[in-house]
mmCIF file of all heavy atoms in Angstrom:
data_model
loop_
_atom_site.group_PDB
_atom_site.id
_atom_site.type_symbol
_atom_site.label_atom_id
_atom_site.label_comp_id
_atom_site.label_asym_id
_atom_site.label_seq_id
_atom_site.Cartn_x
_atom_site.Cartn_y
_atom_site.Cartn_z
ATOM 1 N N ARG A 67 94.592 123.065 114.668
ATOM 2 C CA ARG A 67 95.228 122.617 115.897
ATOM 3 C C ARG A 67 94.262 121.688 116.699
ATOM 4 O O ARG A 67 94.712 120.702 117.356
ATOM 5 C CB ARG A 67 95.641 123.789 116.767
ATOM 6 C CG ARG A 67 96.856 124.482 116.224
ATOM 7 C CD ARG A 67 97.200 125.733 117.033
ATOM 8 N NE ARG A 67 98.429 126.398 116.560
ATOM 9 C CZ ARG A 67 99.650 126.211 117.067
ATOM 10 N NH1 ARG A 67 99.837 125.306 118.011
ATOM 11 N NH2 ARG A 67 100.669 126.817 116.578
ATOM 12 N N SER A 68 92.980 122.027 116.645
ATOM 13 C CA SER A 68 91.989 121.165 117.337
ATOM 14 C C SER A 68 91.955 119.796 116.749
ATOM 15 O O SER A 68 91.919 118.762 117.461
ATOM 16 C CB SER A 68 90.637 121.821 117.268
ATOM 17 O OG SER A 68 89.653 120.971 117.820
ATOM 18 N N GLU A 69 91.999 119.693 115.382
ATOM 19 C CA GLU A 69 92.034 118.396 114.739
ATOM 20 C C GLU A 69 93.267 117.626 115.083
ATOM 21 O O GLU A 69 93.257 116.423 115.332
ATOM 22 C CB GLU A 69 91.912 118.583 113.201
ATOM 23 C CG GLU A 69 90.573 119.040 112.737
ATOM 24 C CD GLU A 69 89.512 117.959 112.917
ATOM 25 O OE1 GLU A 69 89.652 116.869 112.299
ATOM 26 O OE2 GLU A 69 88.563 118.182 113.664
ATOM 27 N N LEU A 70 94.437 118.325 115.138
ATOM 28 C CA LEU A 70 95.665 117.655 115.512
ATOM 29 C C LEU A 70 95.568 117.133 116.969
ATOM 30 O O LEU A 70 96.020 116.025 117.242
ATOM 31 C CB LEU A 70 96.821 118.640 115.361
ATOM 32 C CG LEU A 70 97.305 118.935 113.954
ATOM 33 C CD1 LEU A 70 98.288 120.081 113.978
ATOM 34 C CD2 LEU A 70 97.907 117.699 113.335
ATOM 35 N N ALA A 71 95.045 117.958 117.837
ATOM 36 C CA ALA A 71 94.974 117.524 119.233
ATOM 37 C C ALA A 71 94.057 116.297 119.419
ATOM 38 O O ALA A 71 94.281 115.465 120.281
ATOM 39 C CB ALA A 71 94.429 118.699 120.108
ATOM 40 N N THR A 72 93.037 116.219 118.577
ATOM 41 C CA THR A 72 92.090 115.097 118.639
ATOM 42 C C THR A 72 92.733 113.782 118.111
ATOM 43 O O THR A 72 92.638 112.745 118.723
ATOM 44 C CB THR A 72 90.834 115.408 117.867
ATOM 45 O OG1 THR A 72 90.152 116.541 118.480
ATOM 46 C CG2 THR A 72 89.856 114.193 117.854
ATOM 47 N N HIS A 73 93.422 113.913 116.929
ATOM 48 C CA HIS A 73 93.850 112.726 116.251
ATOM 49 C C HIS A 73 95.292 112.376 116.469
ATOM 50 O O HIS A 73 95.692 111.162 116.435
ATOM 51 C CB HIS A 73 93.611 112.882 114.719
ATOM 52 C CG HIS A 73 92.174 113.025 114.379
ATOM 53 N ND1 HIS A 73 91.261 111.950 114.495
ATOM 54 C CD2 HIS A 73 91.438 114.073 113.907
ATOM 55 C CE1 HIS A 73 90.062 112.345 114.127
ATOM 56 N NE2 HIS A 73 90.146 113.648 113.784
ATOM 57 N N PHE A 74 96.161 113.398 116.720
ATOM 58 C CA PHE A 74 97.582 113.105 116.932
ATOM 59 C C PHE A 74 98.097 113.964 118.080
ATOM 60 O O PHE A 74 98.941 114.857 117.895
ATOM 61 C CB PHE A 74 98.354 113.428 115.639
ATOM 62 C CG PHE A 74 97.904 112.595 114.458
ATOM 63 C CD1 PHE A 74 97.236 113.232 113.424
ATOM 64 C CD2 PHE A 74 98.198 111.264 114.360
ATOM 65 C CE1 PHE A 74 96.835 112.497 112.319
ATOM 66 C CE2 PHE A 74 97.754 110.527 113.256
ATOM 67 C CZ PHE A 74 97.099 111.142 112.253
ATOM 68 N N PRO A 75 97.609 113.670 119.291
ATOM 69 C CA PRO A 75 97.896 114.551 120.438
ATOM 70 C C PRO A 75 99.375 114.599 120.837
ATOM 71 O O PRO A 75 99.804 115.537 121.500
ATOM 72 C CB PRO A 75 97.004 113.954 121.548
ATOM 73 C CG PRO A 75 96.805 112.528 121.158
ATOM 74 C CD PRO A 75 96.696 112.574 119.657
ATOM 75 N N ASP A 76 100.134 113.552 120.451
ATOM 76 C CA ASP A 76 101.532 113.542 120.837
ATOM 77 C C ASP A 76 102.460 114.200 119.824
ATOM 78 O O ASP A 76 103.686 114.319 120.076
ATOM 79 C CB ASP A 76 102.024 112.097 121.040
ATOM 80 C CG ASP A 76 101.289 111.406 122.191
ATOM 81 O OD1 ASP A 76 100.953 112.147 123.176
ATOM 82 O OD2 ASP A 76 100.999 110.216 122.121
ATOM 83 N N ASP A 77 101.933 114.682 118.695
ATOM 84 C CA ASP A 77 102.740 115.276 117.655
ATOM 85 C C ASP A 77 103.049 116.738 118.037
ATOM 86 O O ASP A 77 102.234 117.441 118.673
ATOM 87 C CB ASP A 77 101.999 115.278 116.315
ATOM 88 C CG ASP A 77 101.921 113.850 115.751
ATOM 89 O OD1 ASP A 77 102.390 112.911 116.395
ATOM 90 O OD2 ASP A 77 101.441 113.742 114.585
ATOM 91 N N GLY A 78 104.175 117.250 117.579
ATOM 92 C CA GLY A 78 104.521 118.629 117.761
ATOM 93 C C GLY A 78 103.890 119.514 116.679
ATOM 94 O O GLY A 78 103.379 118.975 115.682
ATOM 95 N N VAL A 79 103.895 120.777 116.889
ATOM 96 C CA VAL A 79 103.275 121.712 115.878
ATOM 97 C C VAL A 79 103.999 123.042 115.880
ATOM 98 O O VAL A 79 104.458 123.559 116.917
ATOM 99 C CB VAL A 79 101.785 121.889 116.163
ATOM 100 C CG1 VAL A 79 101.595 122.544 117.545
ATOM 101 C CG2 VAL A 79 101.118 122.709 115.084
ATOM 102 N N VAL A 80 104.187 123.586 114.662
ATOM 103 C CA VAL A 80 104.676 124.918 114.456
ATOM 104 C C VAL A 80 103.642 125.600 113.551
ATOM 105 O O VAL A 80 103.319 125.147 112.472
ATOM 106 C CB VAL A 80 106.053 124.947 113.734
ATOM 107 C CG1 VAL A 80 106.454 126.393 113.413
ATOM 108 C CG2 VAL A 80 107.112 124.260 114.597
#
Side-chain angles (χ1 to χ4, degrees):
R67 286 176 178 266
S68 175
E69 289 292 299
L70 286 170
T72 298
H73 296 292
F74 301 108
D76 296 326
D77 290 4
V79 61
V80 175

